[in-house]
Amino acid sequence: AQSVTQPDIHITVSEGASLELRCNYSYGATPYLFWYVQSPGQGLQLLLKYFSGDTLVQGIKGFEAEFKRSQSSFNLRKPSVHWSDAAEYFCAVGDGGATNKLIFGTGTLLAVQP
Amino acid sequence: SQTIHQWPATLVQPVGSPLSLECTVEGTSNPNLYWYRQAAGRGLQLLFYSVGIGQISSEVPQNLSASRPQDRQFILSSKKLLLSDSGFYLCASWAQGALGANVLTFGAGSRLTVL
């Protein structure tokens, strides 16, 4: 069965600093991988996704993620964090099958300090 | 692109009362539809999904049920709410996005508090 682990529950970074959020997945075949962001009390917005091809994926809002099969990881990065990036971030894995079910991690809450 | 409408946005219900949360989708046809629940500190738990009208699959045993009476309508229900049903419920739709890329799109959510 698919599973996703986000080992960092809460991260605080200074505005302008770089950011890396960790995501590890468990899946037997080539996974479909996603990062979503959620602002308080809101739904989830897709940041980026990986289906195949180039393992470095660019997303919206200056985010990128790198798929590393050998490490079963799909870490999210941003070179310079803005105060508006404070939110909760979710990594998800899907099998791309007929049901297209996504399994989500427990999320990482990002705080940005001035 | 698809748009997902959920209502009500906020709901406070007593234990033992019934529940109906509604989700409708615009901008696509024959989508896969999903209900997720988000409880504090527990991420998103997939409750139900549907690949077509009248077709419902349950992911976890619970006090809730789902129905899909129309192609773009997905309803989450309960006959008698429990305290543990409190949470943030998100409806999602999987459909073809721009350039043929599959996308899972979420509604704004319904926050349920059971007292």
Side-chain angles (χ1 to χ4, degrees):
Chain A
Q2 306 147 247
S3 67
V4 177
T5 302
Q6 293 182 248
D8 303 306
I9 297 173
H10 187 273
I11 284 182
T12 300
V13 299
S14 298
E15 190 168 16
S18 63
L19 171 71
E20 182 168 27
L21 302 182
R22 296 184 290 166
C23 172
N24 293 96
Y25 68 90
S26 174
Y27 184 63
T30 299
Y32 285 13
L33 295 162
F34 306 80
W35 275 100
Y36 283 83
V37 61
Q38 184 183 33
S39 298
Q42 301 298 312
L44 277 72
Q45 181 184 22
L46 179 69
L47 284 176
L48 47 78
K49 58 187 181 292
Y50 171 79
F51 289 170
S52 64
D54 193 347
T55 57
L56 184 62
V57 180
Q58 301 298 318
I60 62 171
K61 303 184 180 185
F63 286 93
E64 67 177 26
E66 186 171 13
F67 170 56
K68 293 186 177 180
R69 184 187 301 275
S70 61
Q71 298 177 22
S72 297
S73 70
F74 189 56
N75 294 348
L76 182 70
R77 301 194 294 250
K78 186 170 185 178
S80 178
V81 171
H82 188 261
W83 64 266
S84 60
D85 293 324
E88 190 156 22
Y89 292 80
F90 292 92
C91 181
V93 61
D95 60 8
T99 62
N100 289 314
K101 293 187 296 182
L102 293 195
I103 304 301
F104 285 80
T106 52
T108 297
L109 185 62
L110 173 66
V112 180
Q113 58 186 21
Chain B
S1 62
Q2 57 181 337
T3 303
I4 299 177
H5 301 281
Q6 283 189 247
W7 70 92
T10 305
L11 194 60
V12 180
Q13 292 286 99
V15 170
S17 64
L19 171 73
S20 181
L21 299 180
E22 191 159 343
C23 169
T24 59
V25 183
E26 293 180 352
T28 188
S29 59
N30 196 31
N32 285 1
L33 297 175
Y34 311 82
W35 278 111
Y36 284 87
R37 177 170 59 200
Q38 187 175 22
R42 297 187 60 185
L44 281 82
Q45 181 184 34
L46 179 61
L47 302 177
F48 301 95
Y49 67 93
S50 171
V51 299
I53 296 174
Q55 301 179 63
I56 307 295
S57 297
S58 174
E59 286 293 292
V60 293
Q62 59 201 309
N63 186 44
L64 303 170
S65 62
S67 62
R68 186 170 177 177
Q70 300 180 47
D71 180 45
R72 291 174 289 175
Q73 183 184 28
F74 204 26
I75 297 171
L76 184 69
S77 305
S78 174
K79 292 182 180 179
K80 289 186 178 181
L81 284 169
L82 305 172
L83 287 174
S84 58
D85 292 324
S86 293
F88 192 48
Y89 289 83
L90 289 157
C91 178
S93 171
W94 182 282
Q96 290 290 114
L99 304 178
N102 288 316
V103 175
L104 184 68
T105 302
F106 284 85
S110 296
R111 183 164 302 282
L112 170 65
T113 303
V114 182
L115 302 175

